[in-house]
Structure formats: structure tokens, C-alpha cells
């Protein structure tokens, strides 16, 4: 009898919807779509670019998204933080 450690799967209290998973999949590989990202968003998700980014930003703040794809979510959070720093610096007259 071998003593193999039991695998414990994390308990997820709330799961991602199919649309949430599709958005994460899209963000992982949107550059593969022909044309501009905004057009691909409109075609794939039937929403404006503005609405898509609102949904995406809310999604990457969720622990379930971080658990589902930690590398992608952390990268998207870093990009968002960098853009926020640049906007703040511009408002204050600094260059980053």
C-alpha cells in the first residue's frame, strides 16, 4: 500500500458563469482575432467596448477569476494599475 497524499481541491463558494470563462479565454488570446479588439468584442459578446471593460474589470476583482486563471488575472490587474497610475500622473502634470 503506497502512501500517496490526498489531493484537496479548493472549495469554491461561487463559480464563474460561462460568459465569465469566455471573457477570460478571450483576454488570454484576443490578439488571434482578425481586426481590432473592439470589433471582436462586439462580435463575440454583443456588447460595446466600454461595457466589456466594465465587466472585465469587475471580473478580475473576483477571487473566482483569480483561482481560475491566476497568471492572466494578475497580468490584467497589473496592466489596469499601470494605466491608473499613468492617468493620475497626467492629471497632476507628471510623466511616467
Amino acid at each position: 500500500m503506497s502512501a500517496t497524499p490526498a489531493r484537496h481541491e479548493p472549495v469554491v463558494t461561487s463559480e464563474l458563469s460561462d460568459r465569465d470563462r469566455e471573457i477570460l479565454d478571450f483576454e488570454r488570446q484576443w490578439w488571434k482575432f482578425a481586426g481590432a479588439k473592439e470589433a471582436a468584442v462586439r462580435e463575440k459578446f454583443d456588447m460595446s467596448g466600454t461595457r466589456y471593460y466594465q465587466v472585465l474589470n469587475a471580473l478580475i476583482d473576483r477571487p473566482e477569476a483569480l483561482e481560475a486563471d491566476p497568471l492572466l488575472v494578475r497580468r490584467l490587474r497589473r496592466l489596469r494599475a499601470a494605466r491608473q497610475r499613468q492617468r493620475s500622473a497626467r492629471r497632476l502634470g507628471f510623466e511616467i
Side-chain angles (χ1 to χ4, degrees):
M1 179 182 227
S2 67
T4 58
R7 278 185 81 177
H8 296 285
E9 296 298 321
V11 177
V12 179
T13 55
S14 146
E15 293 192 16
L16 296 176
S17 70
D18 288 341
R19 183 182 77 161
D20 292 339
R21 279 190 287 283
E22 288 174 7
I23 288 173
L24 290 177
D25 288 342
F26 178 78
E27 279 300 313
R28 195 176 308 107
Q29 54 189 328
W30 68 264
W31 46 271
K32 292 180 182 177
F33 290 85
K37 185 176 182 181
E38 302 286 327
V41 163
R42 186 167 301 281
E43 182 180 322
K44 184 160 179 63
F45 299 108
D46 193 30
M47 63 176 79
S48 69
T50 301
R51 180 66 186 140
Y52 173 80
Y53 286 110
Q54 290 171 342
V55 171
L56 176 63
N57 280 312
L59 175 60
I60 65 174
D61 285 334
R62 293 179 51 198
E64 299 87 8
L66 182 61
E67 187 176 307
D69 195 335
L71 292 176
L72 174 68
V73 171
R74 286 188 188 115
R75 180 173 59 84
L76 292 173
R77 287 176 178 179
R78 277 194 311 272
L79 291 170
R80 178 178 63 184
R83 285 191 302 272
Q84 288 171 338
R85 281 192 302 275
Q86 288 172 343
R87 280 193 301 272
S88 294
R90 275 197 306 270
R91 265 187 245 118
L92 297 171
F94 295 113
E95 208 44 55
I96 294 183

